[in-house]
Amino acid sequence: MFVARHLLLHLLHYRSLHCDRLFYSFVQIAQILLGDKEDLIHKAMGWMLREVGKRCGAEVLERFLTTNYRAMPRTTVRYAIERFPEGRRQMYLRGRV
């Protein structure tokens, strides 16, 4: 579990990665970990998504979430949308996106 979590968070240290490559790397790892049962993995995925949104722009994060949020653990979604405006956050939490 800690290896998977470390792998997700380690991506952020590569500041030289172009946004597209960072996002692609995250998506590959997230697809593997999407079904993980550990809460710490869910939190790390959500945190990483939020950071990808900061670096690559809100549009990139929104595109990913719109496609995948129904399959993601609720903790991951909550962490990822933490900085969204209240109305937009509620739409994701209620499944109305």
Side-chain angles (χ1 to χ4, degrees):
M1 169 190 65
F2 290 107
V3 172
R5 184 170 183 254
H6 179 73
L7 179 63
L8 278 170
L9 302 180
H10 190 68
L11 281 174
L12 290 178
H13 290 287
Y14 291 103
R15 298 194 190 284
S16 62
L17 278 181
H18 188 271
C19 180
D20 293 338
R21 186 159 171 113
L22 174 68
F23 182 69
Y24 176 74
S25 299
F26 170 75
V27 168
Q28 285 187 318
I29 295 167
Q31 288 174 343
I32 295 167
L33 298 176
L34 201 57
D36 199 289
K37 303 287 186 220
E38 291 292 333
D39 188 52
L40 288 176
I41 299 296
H42 301 170
K43 290 177 182 180
M45 284 177 51
W47 186 68
M48 184 64 190
L49 269 173
R50 189 176 64 232
E51 293 300 315
V52 166
K54 282 184 198 175
R55 277 201 203 160
C56 302
E59 315 81 44
V60 173
L61 177 57
E62 289 259 3
R63 246 190 348 253
F64 180 81
L65 286 174
T66 301
T67 307
N68 298 294
Y69 82 98
R70 292 182 194 272
M72 295 167 63
R74 187 169 175 88
T75 304
T76 301
V77 175
R78 290 186 72 82
Y79 271 61
I81 63 173
E82 193 172 84
R83 296 178 188 241
F84 281 17
E86 181 64 27
R88 191 75 178 145
R89 219 171 46 231
Q90 289 303 319
M91 288 175 68
Y92 276 102
L93 293 176
R94 293 182 179 141
R96 297 185 181 154
V97 176

